[in-house]
Amino acid sequence: MSRPTSLSPPADAAVPEPRPGAPAVGAETGKHYDGCFACGEVQDNGLRVRSRVGQGVSVHTEYVVGEGHQGAPGLAHGGLLTCALDEALGALSFLLHRPVVTARLETDFRRPVPVGSTLHIHAWCTGVDGRKVFARASGRVDAADGPVAVEAAALFVRVDLDHFTTHGRAEDVERAGSDPHSAELMRTYEVSP
């Protein structure tokens, strides 16, 4: 049996700075694709998370737990909390100018999150080693300094854009290419070092 991939960067991993041209501190990162369940606008019960750039390679993300996001009565579904954390962690790629995919994500649940709550997520990059991007996130209930409800550690892997065009459904890839924000993001990824 193989061992799980580590979620901690090696000791010699670089802690990156935002790439030139990355959004400024406080700027909204925007959605990467309107059809995305986590950040897009077209899914009926989508999460509609919004992220703003923090210091260094970090983001601050807000997720309002809606009626359609319940697991237990009146409480957020743990899988959807994990989805919101994954989206916040993935938004770090806006600052690195490289598309990434989730390779491993581990979530620790500390307290229930009621429907109607706002989860304030802080996600930050802990290191980059080759194609591997290591990151962590913490989600707090109802305030940026509220009680910690959920935490995550993740490993992302940098991919080329053809990962999405090769494996994605053709009509969705075409629709993403016609969305001005998604198209601009793809152009940024194509020219980044």
Side-chain angles (χ1 to χ4, degrees), residues 20-21 94 97-98 161 183-193:
F94 285 101
H97 286 281
R98 291 283 186 209
L161 285 176
E184 178 61 29
L185 181 61
M186 285 187 264
R187 281 191 295 279
T188 300
Y189 285 155
E190 287 171 354
V191 300
S192 294

Side-chain angles (χ1 to χ4, degrees), residues 17-192:
E17 291 294 322
R19 294 277 186 175
V25 172
E28 190 170 316
T29 61
K31 61 187 184 307
H32 65 274
Y33 167 56
D34 202 39
C36 174
F37 179 78
C39 71
E41 296 292 330
V42 300
Q43 304 295 338
D44 289 339
N45 278 323
L47 304 186
R48 293 176 174 77
V49 302
R50 293 294 171 261
S51 297
R52 293 196 173 279
V53 177
Q55 296 293 324
V57 179
S58 73
V59 297
H60 299 281
T61 303
E62 290 187 4
Y63 159 48
V64 178
V65 180
E67 290 290 325
H69 303 157
Q70 294 182 67
L75 299 173
H77 189 287
L80 295 182
L81 294 173
T82 300
C83 180
L85 289 167
D86 185 44
E87 186 66 22
L89 289 157
L92 298 171
S93 71
F94 285 101
L95 305 174
L96 299 172
H97 286 281
R98 291 283 186 209
V100 297
V101 294
T102 310
R104 184 161 181 237
L105 176 64
E106 186 174 292
T107 308
D108 294 315
F109 300 95
R110 305 286 183 212
R111 67 178 338 126
V113 179
V115 169
S117 297
T118 299
L119 190 66
H120 295 263
I121 302 167
H122 178 223
W124 63 97
C125 182
T126 59
V128 174
D129 184 38
R131 292 179 53 221
K132 296 178 179 180
V133 177
F134 298 86
R136 294 200 171 269
S138 177
R140 295 173 177 267
V141 179
D142 288 332
D145 62 351
V148 173
V150 61
E151 296 175 303
L155 168 63
F156 289 85
V157 176
R158 291 180 178 176
V159 294
D160 293 325
L161 285 176
D162 67 356
H163 171 86
F164 305 103
T165 57
T166 300
H167 301 290
R169 207 167 50 171
E171 60 267 26
D172 296 320
V173 171
E174 184 177 326
R175 188 172 70 220
S178 66
D179 175 279
H181 183 76
S182 295
E184 178 61 29
L185 181 61
M186 285 187 264
R187 281 191 295 279
T188 300
Y189 285 155
E190 287 171 354
V191 300
S192 294

